[in-house]
Amino acid sequence: MTRLLHLVNLRSANVGNGALILGTERILREDLLPEVQFERVAWDDYTFGLLPFDSRFVDRINASDGLLVNGAVTFNGRAYLQQTGSRFDLPLELWSKIKKPVIFYGLSHRFWPGQSYHHAERLRAMLQTIRQAEQMRMALRNDGTRDWLNETIGEQCAAGMPEIPDPALYVTAEPGGLYPEMQKGRFNLLLSFNDEDAEYRYAEPGMRNHVLQQLVAMVVRLSRVVDLNVVLVPHYFDDFQMVHDFIQACPPALAHQQMVASGLARLEGTGSFYGRYLQADAVIAMRVHAMSPAIGLGVPALFLVTQERMKQFLGNAGLSEWMVDFREPYLADRLVTTLLAIKADKERVRQRFLTARQEMREQSRLFNQSLAGLFGR
């Protein structure tokens, strides 16, 4: 039995972390370590200062068979990340004491124009340490993170590092769940907002209001041609403000009669949360972890992108046909047209998503198999 520590956002109410955790563990069992026991370690305890990254963390790694660092957002440039300039903020002087394999699995970034990346020199040193360590491997998520690191942190610090797809593609869902908010015989549209980092995400004057008004116009127009049931599915607390503002902007009768909202979910509720996706006729995904699970589950979706890394991921997957940029001046027109095209040809969309998943699954498999030497296989 192999026992791997798995550093994850364990206590988070953002269900995307559940998709990352379960998707990663699933494919590593399938491809590399079928008998592995994952011991989940709460990364969020370290992020919020409840526990320190120190020699005790190193001792814990060495008492196991290795450490798997989950593919969550790791590079965000926060000022308090003084040791490595990343959320894996273990002091670099302790890294030489690690004797077991360490795998950084599909790490990504969230960083906006106009922000300063604090401690970039420490992040460069961290990446160099990983390159030089025989027992360490890093793969970056294929959402432009490698190019972003080279351009933002500099010195081609991530040149040649392998890229892998978002592991949340491989989350499983519970198809038989009871979802009273889904209504048989109606067009059930899930709408996943994203109000995270709103001051940067919608930085242009009036842009957030533009998106809200265009989404309202889209729902109004769609309700005239289909028997519409809109289910608002926030993924984290940030999204509730946008849900509120959207409802306030809707005609009262529409909000009263054709809309309902779901709640959040922790890790334990991940399968149930995405089971709702399986029952939808279509999804409008503004969040990364509304996007990749929808693709992986073959759920017809429209991707309303508000950040470059979503564009990069969809372009790499060959799925740009279903991508709509939030800055489009006639956004409502594009949304309605794309949704009606999805409705008219759901099976083609579903099959294209599943084909993309299969192609990306092979990319993941190749990287997973390259890790075998770390575990004497």
Side-chain angles (χ1 to χ4, degrees), residues 179-188 228-229 257 281:
Y179 302 99
E181 66 273 24
M182 312 299 282
Q183 296 194 328
K184 190 173 181 180
R186 304 183 75 181
F187 186 77
N188 291 287
L228 184 64
N229 178 45
Q257 295 181 330
D281 293 290

Side-chain angles (χ1 to χ4, degrees), residues 111-116 200:
F111 192 74
W112 304 98
Q115 286 186 301
S116 298
Y200 294 107

Side-chain angles (χ1 to χ4, degrees), residues 69-115:
V69 180
N70 188 254
V73 168
T74 307
F75 311 121
N76 58 15
R78 301 293 191 261
Y80 65 88
L81 300 171
Q82 300 179 25
Q83 302 299 326
T84 67
S86 80
R87 285 186 57 239
F88 187 75
D89 209 29
L90 180 70
L92 289 170
E93 58 267 24
L94 295 177
W95 286 50
S96 62
K97 301 182 183 300
I98 299 174
K99 306 305 179 186
K100 298 296 177 66
V102 179
I103 303 165
F104 299 88
Y105 199 85
L107 304 191
S108 187
H109 71 290
R110 189 172 71 243
F111 192 74
W112 304 98
Q115 286 186 301

Side-chain angles (χ1 to χ4, degrees), residues 294-359:
I295 294 168
L297 294 168
V299 177
L302 178 162
F303 310 111
L304 179 54
V305 299
T306 59
Q307 56 189 141
E308 188 63 28
R309 64 192 184 117
M310 289 180 74
K311 291 183 183 179
Q312 292 279 350
F313 178 83
L314 291 166
N316 290 334
L319 298 175
S320 298
E321 176 182 350
W322 293 279
M323 179 180 74
V324 180
D325 191 289
F326 76 118
R327 295 184 181 88
E328 289 199 16
Y330 302 104
L331 180 59
D333 292 346
R334 181 74 186 282
L335 293 172
V336 170
T337 300
T338 305
L339 281 172
L340 291 178
I342 288 172
K343 180 177 182 294
D345 204 0
K346 282 177 58 177
E347 187 58 24
R348 182 182 78 86
V349 180
R350 192 179 79 85
Q351 288 301 325
R352 181 64 192 93
F353 285 6
L354 292 176
T355 297
R357 179 200 187 279
Q358 184 177 1
E359 292 167 352

